[in-house]
Amino acid sequence: MERTEPTGPTEPTHESESLSPPQLAAIRRSMTGGRMALSRRNLLRAGSAGAFAIGGLGALSGCGIPPAGRAEADNASDDHSDDEKRVNFSNWTEYMDVTDDNKHRPTLEEFQRRTGITVKYTEDINDNVEFFGKIKPQLAAGQDTGRDLICVTDWLAGRMIRLGWMQQLNAANLPHAYTNLGQGFRNPDWDPGRAHSYPWTGIPAVIAYNKKATGGRKVTSVSQLLEDPKLKGRVGMLTEMRDTVGLTLLDMGKRPETVTADEYDAAIARLQKGADRGQIRRFTGNDYTGDLTKGDLAACIAWAGDLIQLQADNPEIEFAIPEAGYMISTDNLLIPNKARHKKNAERLIDYYYEPKVAAKTAAYINYVCPVDGVRAELAKIDKDLASNPLIIPDEEMVAKAHNFRLLSSKEETAFEDKFAKLTGA
């Protein structure tokens, strides 16, 4: 992979990070029903501890928050990795392999045994905006957040990179990651050449349907969702703007990667028509899972991580990758400015790009694995998972993946406002 040299933030570091009412509404949708909320699969594991520390270190302690200031132009940090054999890793809940008794994190413990680096692992990311609020004052003041490695969704990762708050990675410490990163994840517009980030997982949005509810008919396109009279009143669309509008744009022959305001408006108008005619039953978060299983929704847009569990419980549930393509976002590993253990964090990133390690993680979390060469290792754990394109996409599926382009703050406010009016949020 050819890695580009950073050219500095593409937006000024004094960019306002206050959120508009439409953006806040979008966040509330995501927290209460969207991908920020616990999925049905995660609820099955809700008994696990909220924070888990390797070596009995306990949860990441709270830090005093100083007044927010300007980001420092120099984001270099004094790296204490050689003297302090530890790394502080903040992640989402249910996003790491754990034993059935919830007492051990096998891959993290193996990393510690191998390297002698203690991992302080904390599940303190419940949603992107809440977490950003925790670390923004310190980042803006050019101070250590107390975290060496974080995992956030692509739009927030892009924002923090623009602000100059994330460190450039040293490829010399990332030989496995550099080599094994899947082709489709190598060059996002918000971090060209992956200079500052590596993906933890991919999150596809595809079409799902209940064969019993459709009378055995397949549902394979957004056009069917919006226009098939036999589905009227039994169609679900997601409350996540980028997924619903992105899939609609693709169905219209437009590219979410380059969407214009006029194209966006046309997609909104098409969805509005479907809502006005009663074709769309409702816009949902991941609560579509119950309706789809019961058949109240015959077909809907769905997230891959939910579908694997739904299919295991109900053989009537199927999914389709539209011929026009599907949407994918990513959660990503980054190292904040002033992190004390940058090299140790890079070693941890690299460790999770070893196929054997990546397979163990993928077998547990069931989202798209961004690591090339993982299929054979995953097959040793579970052959069905290894052949599931929702975890390891085949070449055809990879070719159909699309990302929603990075929006400016002004664009995001305008786009979310129009989407909120459509969904009634």
Side-chain angles (χ1 to χ4, degrees), residues 52-66:
F52 191 102
I54 299 301
L57 289 175
L60 186 64
S61 60
C63 302
I65 305 297

Side-chain angles (χ1 to χ4, degrees), residues 188-381:
D189 64 352
W190 50 268
D191 186 23
R194 287 287 179 183
H196 305 82
S197 68
Y198 271 94
W200 180 248
T201 55
I203 308 159
V206 297
I207 291 175
Y209 59 97
N210 184 318
K211 288 187 296 184
K212 184 176 181 180
T214 64
R217 296 166 60 248
K218 295 182 178 180
V219 181
T220 62
S221 71
V222 171
S223 289
Q224 279 181 272
L225 292 177
L226 293 177
E227 298 166 11
D228 186 341
K230 293 184 179 180
L231 298 177
K232 185 174 182 178
R234 297 186 296 153
V235 169
M237 295 287 183
L238 291 174
T239 54
E240 295 288 346
M241 179 269 287
R242 288 167 176 81
D243 291 330
T244 292
V245 178
L247 281 162
T248 303
L249 286 164
L250 289 169
D251 192 74
M252 297 167 66
K254 306 300 181 182
R255 289 180 56 82
E257 294 89 341
T258 58
V259 60
T260 66
D262 288 344
E263 290 169 345
Y264 182 87
D265 288 348
I268 290 290
R270 189 179 183 205
L271 289 163
Q272 187 68 63
K273 183 178 179 181
D276 292 344
R277 290 192 297 106
Q279 183 76 9
I280 299 172
R281 182 183 182 94
R282 65 191 184 101
F283 290 83
T284 76
N286 59 15
D287 51 331
Y288 66 79
T289 56
D291 288 345
L292 184 64
T293 298
K294 291 184 295 184
D296 291 342
L297 288 178
C300 63
I301 297 175
W303 289 301
D306 293 327
L307 292 178
I308 293 170
Q309 181 63 44
L310 288 178
Q311 288 184 310
D313 294 342
N314 186 343
E316 299 295 337
I317 303 300
E318 296 282 355
F319 73 90
I321 307 301
E323 185 63 33
Y326 68 98
M327 298 302 296
I328 190 166
S329 57
T330 54
D331 283 337
N332 309 274
L333 301 173
L334 303 99
I335 300 175
N337 289 354
K338 304 303 178 182
R340 287 182 63 87
H341 312 107
K342 180 175 184 286
K343 184 168 70 173
N344 291 344
E346 289 169 337
R347 291 182 68 182
L348 186 58
I349 295 172
D350 195 62
Y351 169 75
Y352 278 101
Y353 271 78
E354 296 179 19
K356 286 185 179 180
V357 179
K360 293 175 183 178
T361 310
Y364 182 84
I365 64 177
N366 290 175
Y367 282 97
V368 167
C369 181
V371 181
D372 275 349
V374 76
R375 187 186 302 274
E377 297 298 334
L378 186 55
K380 297 174 184 177
I381 301 172

